[in-house]
Amino acid sequence: MTPKSTVHMVVCFLQLCIVKGQIICERQIIAEWRVEPKHVLIEWTLRKNICTDFYSECWNVNQNATREDKNLSVPQICPVQLQLGDTLFISSEPSFQSYGMNLVNASKEEFINCPKTDFLQDQQIFVCQIRGLHQVDATWLGVGTHYFAELHKRGPYLCNMGLRLNVTVKQQFCQETPNAPLCSKHGRCLSHVWEKQYSCHCFSQYSGKFCQKFNVCSTKPCHNNASCTEKSDGIRNSYECACPPEFSGKNCTEIVGQCQPHTCFNGNCSNVTPNTFLCKCDKGFTGKTKHFFFFFPLGL
C-alpha cells in the first residue's frame, strides 16, 4: 500500500463514524451561511445514513441535552439542513426500482407514524417513480421543515425501517440591506441545527442585529476604575465616563486637586493632600496659580 493511499484511508475513516453497525455521516451542529448555494445529494437507501435518534447519532448531541422534539427519535435518514436556494437531489437504491417507489410530502404526524393512507397526487414529490437521480422541485423546498416519506405500490414496507427524511430550509437575516455585507463584516452569519434561521454572531467589539454598532466602551477608554456608558448622537457612537470623586476629565485621567502639568504657570507645584496642592512661585510672580506678574522697579 502506497503512503498516498494510506493517507486517503485515514482521511476517509476520520470523516465517518460507526453507530450501531451503520455508517453515519458526521454533520455540523453549527453552519455558516454560504454566499453561493450548493447541490446536496441524498442516497435513498437503507444501507447507510439511517439513524434511530438523530439527536445523538446524526448530530452527535449529548442524549441528556434538552431536545426540541423527542418524537423524532424514529428510524430515518439523517436530517438535512439546507439554506434557501440550495438544490436537493435524491438518488434511489437500484434494488428499489421494481417497487414503484415515490416520495410524498407528509405531515409531521404522518412522518413519525409512517404514512398508512393513500396520498393525493399533489403530495407526491415526483411525477413518476424514482429511478436513478431525481431533483426535488423548489416547490417542496420553501423555508421551514419538510417531511418526506417513501410510498410504493408493491414490495415490503420500508418507511418503518428508515426510508423517511426531514429537510429544514433556512433563510438568513444577516444583511441590513440586500447589497450590504453579511453582518457588516463585523461578525459571522450562523445557524445552530435547531434554529430556524441564520443570524449574526458579532465579534467582541460590535453589537446590533447586523453587528453594525461599534461598542466603544469595549476599548476601555475610561481609566481609574471609572464606568463607561455608550451614547449615540445619531451619526456615530460615543461614550461618557463616570469618574470617581478624585478624578476628572473625559477619560478620568486628571486628578482632582493634584498637580498636573502646567498647574503652576510660573512656579513649582507640590501636592499637599489628595485634593489640595500648593504653588511655590518663581521670583516676581504671585497668585494662586502664579499667573500674576508683579514688576518691581529698579532701586526699590
Side-chain angles (χ1 to χ4, degrees):
M1 182 179 292
T2 64
K4 185 177 181 179
S5 60
T6 302
V7 172
H8 180 72
M9 289 183 63
V10 171
V11 171
C12 290
F13 177 79
L14 293 176
Q15 290 178 335
L16 300 172
C17 64
I18 306 298
V19 179
K20 297 182 180 178
Q22 302 223 0
I23 301 177
I24 306 298
C25 292
E26 286 281 10
R27 284 164 167 76
Q28 294 177 305
I29 296 295
I30 296 177
E32 185 165 11
W33 182 267
R34 293 171 276 100
V35 176
E36 297 294 332
K38 72 174 183 178
H39 303 302
V40 179
L41 173 64
I42 298 298
E43 296 184 64
W44 202 254
T45 175
L46 292 171
R47 294 186 298 174
K48 60 182 179 179
N49 293 337
I50 300 294
C51 61
T52 56
D53 185 345
F54 68 78
Y55 291 91
S56 59
E57 294 176 9
C58 285
W59 303 105
N60 197 27
V61 176
N62 190 325
Q63 293 188 14
N64 296 325
T66 302
R67 297 179 176 182
E68 187 176 274
D69 192 338
K70 295 182 179 180
N71 290 329
L72 290 180
S73 296
V74 297
Q76 61 178 293
I77 298 174
C78 284
V80 175
Q81 302 277 300
L82 300 180
Q83 67 179 47
L84 190 63
D86 285 346
T87 306
L88 179 63
F89 290 88
I90 303 292
S91 176
S92 68
E93 170 69 48
S95 61
F96 294 161
Q97 294 182 8
S98 62
Y99 297 163
M101 186 179 294
N102 203 332
L103 274 66
V104 292
N105 185 50
S107 66
K108 186 175 182 179
E109 182 180 1
E110 291 168 334
F111 175 87
I112 294 171
N113 299 316
C114 275
K116 294 181 175 60
T117 58
D118 294 332
F119 282 84
L120 299 176
Q121 187 70 28
D122 60 4
Q123 288 181 274
Q124 296 186 18
I125 305 299
F126 305 115
V127 295
C128 57
Q129 68 185 51
I130 300 177
R131 290 184 181 274
L133 187 66
H134 292 255
Q135 180 178 346
V136 177
D137 191 273
T139 305
W140 307 107
L141 298 177
V143 174
T145 300
H146 308 274
Y147 301 95
F148 300 156
E150 68 94 8
L151 182 69
H152 62 272
K153 296 180 179 178
R154 65 189 73 86
Y157 198 54
L158 301 176
C159 177
N160 286 327
M161 297 178 67
L163 285 191
R164 42 186 156 177
L165 170 73
N166 75 80
V167 179
T168 300
V169 181
K170 303 179 181 182
Q171 59 185 328
Q172 58 93 352
F173 293 93
C174 298
Q175 293 172 288
E176 195 164 9
T177 60
N179 296 323
L182 293 174
C183 303
S184 307
K185 293 185 177 181
H186 300 141
R188 299 174 65 190
C189 187
L190 305 175
S191 180
H192 189 276
V193 64
W194 309 131
E195 292 175 338
K196 297 181 179 180
Q197 63 190 34
Y198 285 79
S199 57
C200 287
H201 292 247
C202 304
F203 298 147
S204 59
Q205 294 184 350
Y206 295 88
S207 64
K209 182 178 180 180
F210 307 107
C211 304
Q212 75 279 14
K213 298 179 180 179
F214 177 70
N215 301 328
V216 65
C217 283
S218 66
T219 63
K220 299 181 179 179
C222 302
H223 298 272
N224 297 306
N225 296 320
S227 60
C228 180
T229 303
E230 296 272 353
K231 297 179 67 178
S232 179
D233 57 10
I235 301 176
R236 60 184 181 277
N237 291 339
S238 60
Y239 65 94
E240 185 176 81
C241 296
C243 303
E246 63 270 26
F247 296 97
S248 64
K250 180 174 177 59
N251 296 328
C252 302
T253 56
E254 300 176 14
I255 304 175
V256 175
Q258 295 282 288
C259 292
Q260 300 294 321
H262 310 298
T263 298
C264 300
F265 290 90
N266 295 283
N268 295 319
C269 183
S270 299
N271 293 317
V272 179
T273 70
N275 293 299
T276 60
F277 64 88
L278 178 66
C279 287
K280 185 177 181 180
C281 303
D282 294 338
K283 187 176 180 178
F285 293 87
T286 186
K288 183 177 180 181
T289 53
K290 298 65 60 196
H291 58 285
F292 298 103
F293 176 77
F294 286 86
F295 177 75
F296 296 92
L298 292 174
L300 293 180

